Amino acid sequence: MSRQRIRFSAPSSKHCWLGRLLPFVFGLMLLCWFWFIAAASLSSAKTQQLQQLEQAVRRSAVHCYAFEGRYPATLQELEERYALQYDHSQFRVDYEVFASNLMPVITVTMR
């Protein structure tokens, strides 16, 4: 039996640039995926902050109604007398009162 020698040839130039480009493309795809995940979690966090602020305003208004028998006339009253605090530069709170015995309409939005 004769042994055959297997000769390895140098990679062709066509495969050389592909081998260098593939890790770059993979890294770019991975970076885009991480960016997408970070953006989605940030959006979720902002939505949660909006909901929590709306609940806090509502809770403060109900607290006032329980103690005083009326809803506060203004949002400033809630901030001054019931320790409601929020970042005015990030959030806009619309507080509309129709009558002192009806729950006000509370809308929280991002600025």
Side-chain angles (χ1 to χ4, degrees), residues 31-96:
L31 184 66
C32 289
W33 182 72
F34 280 129
W35 179 78
F36 176 75
I37 295 297
S41 66
L42 182 63
S43 174
S44 174
K46 291 291 184 185
T47 302
Q48 188 176 12
Q49 286 178 343
L50 285 171
Q51 291 172 348
Q52 287 176 348
L53 178 56
E54 185 175 342
Q55 288 174 356
V57 173
R58 205 171 292 284
R59 201 172 26 246
S60 295
V62 169
H63 187 79
C64 175
Y65 185 77
F67 281 115
E68 298 180 19
R70 65 173 183 86
Y71 286 105
T74 63
L75 185 62
Q76 287 75 23
E77 185 178 343
L78 281 177
E79 290 176 321
E80 292 169 3
R81 298 178 63 191
Y82 292 93
L84 177 68
Q85 296 179 351
Y86 67 96
D87 188 359
H88 293 269
S89 65
Q90 264 193 331
F91 302 103
R92 179 172 181 235
V93 179
D94 290 327
Y95 185 84
E96 298 177 31

